[in-house]
Amino acid sequence: AQSVTQLDSHVSVSEGTPVLLRCNYSSSYSPSLFWYVQHPNKGLQLLLKYTSAATLVKGINGFEAEFKKSETSFHLTKPSAHMSDAAEYFCVVSEGVGFNKFYFGSGTKLNVKP
Amino acid sequence: KAGVTQTPRYLIKTRGQQVTLSCSPISGHRSVSWYQQTPGQGLQFLFEYFSETQRNKGNFPGRFSGRQFSNSRSEMNVSTLELGDSALYLCASKTSGETDTQYFGPGTRLTVL
């Protein structure tokens, strides 16, 4: 089975500074990887996904992630944080039939200070 | 297109009762998955249905069951409710392609007293 480790449960940054949310995964074969965001009292929204195409994946709202097979990492970054980025972020790996069995990381809560 | 809808949004039950949650996927989506979200365990995969068949299953006891209808709508049932079943239950749908995006509904908040 696959597993996902989000290395930080909380990250705090100042508005306008870079964001780095770290994710490591374990997989016996080429995985599909995703980042989802959950704002308070709102549903999960897909930020970006990696599906064995380009290793640098661009997502919505200026986020991007780089798939590094040698490091089994899929870290999420953004050059400049905005107050609206404050939310909980989940790294996800999929397996199973149709790659429809999702394993979620424990989540990283991002706090953005003014 | 309308998004994934879940009903009811909030539910309060007592221990020992059973509950049925409903999920309507995005039109054209044939895969429906269910997840449980709790503060202690995070987001955990329950099961996935595709064309009325359970295709993937997580590690939950048999008290948790589901089904999918011919119109792709899905229901999840939890029998003999326990306090620990209090959670946000999320439903997600996608098309049949492996690399397609999974879209999540707003969830049903179940409280077991």
Side-chain angles (χ1 to χ4, degrees):
Chain A
Q2 317 239 17
S3 69
V4 181
T5 302
Q6 290 184 242
L7 299 165
D8 307 291
S9 58
H10 291 82
V11 169
S12 186
V13 300
S14 297
E15 191 174 22
T17 64
V19 176
L20 170 64
L21 305 183
R22 299 181 295 166
C23 172
N24 285 103
Y25 68 92
S26 69
S27 172
S28 57
Y29 51 91
S30 294
S32 289
L33 293 160
F34 309 79
W35 277 97
Y36 278 83
V37 61
Q38 188 175 37
H39 290 273
N41 299 316
K42 289 191 176 180
L44 284 158
Q45 181 184 22
L46 179 70
L47 276 178
L48 49 82
K49 63 181 178 182
Y50 166 77
T51 54
S52 74
T55 56
L56 183 61
V57 182
K58 293 189 183 298
I60 62 171
N61 301 334
F63 284 95
E64 62 181 39
E66 186 172 7
F67 173 70
K68 291 187 176 180
K69 187 173 181 179
S70 60
E71 299 175 10
T72 61
S73 68
F74 190 57
H75 301 335
L76 182 70
T77 61
K78 183 173 180 178
S80 176
H82 191 271
M83 294 297 292
S84 62
D85 294 329
E88 189 161 19
Y89 292 78
F90 294 92
C91 183
V92 183
V93 63
S94 68
E95 69 162 18
V97 177
F99 289 88
N100 279 348
K101 191 172 182 178
F102 274 29
Y103 290 94
F104 279 76
S106 53
T108 298
K109 289 185 178 174
L110 176 64
N111 178 47
V112 182
K113 299 175 288 186
Chain B
K1 279 186 180 178
V4 178
T5 58
Q6 294 186 245
T7 56
R9 293 293 312 278
Y10 300 91
L11 207 48
I12 300 176
K13 292 286 188 178
T14 56
R15 277 184 302 173
Q17 288 186 310
Q18 76 166 19
V19 67
T20 299
L21 312 182
S22 180
C23 171
S24 292
I26 292 171
S27 177
H29 287 193
R30 295 167 62 192
S31 167
V32 175
S33 298
W34 289 90
Y35 297 83
Q36 182 196 64
Q37 186 175 23
T38 60
Q41 299 298 318
L43 273 151
Q44 293 182 284
F45 174 81
L46 279 154
F47 32 66
E48 182 235 357
Y49 285 86
F50 182 83
S51 293
E52 302 179 62
T53 301
Q54 188 179 89
R55 190 165 64 166
N56 287 289
K57 189 176 187 305
N59 297 320
F60 278 79
R63 298 185 298 108
F64 292 82
S65 63
R67 60 177 175 169
Q68 186 180 35
F69 302 95
S70 58
N71 61 358
S72 293
R73 190 178 70 85
S74 177
E75 289 182 345
M76 190 191 91
N77 185 273
V78 188
S79 63
T80 319
L81 283 166
E82 301 176 359
L83 295 178
D85 298 332
S86 294
L88 180 67
Y89 290 89
L90 294 165
C91 166
S93 76
K94 61 178 280 191
T95 60
S96 57
E98 288 183 357
T99 60
D100 291 342
T101 298
Q102 192 162 123
Y103 294 90
F104 284 81
T108 294
R109 173 75 62 186
L110 172 64
T111 302
V112 182
L113 302 176

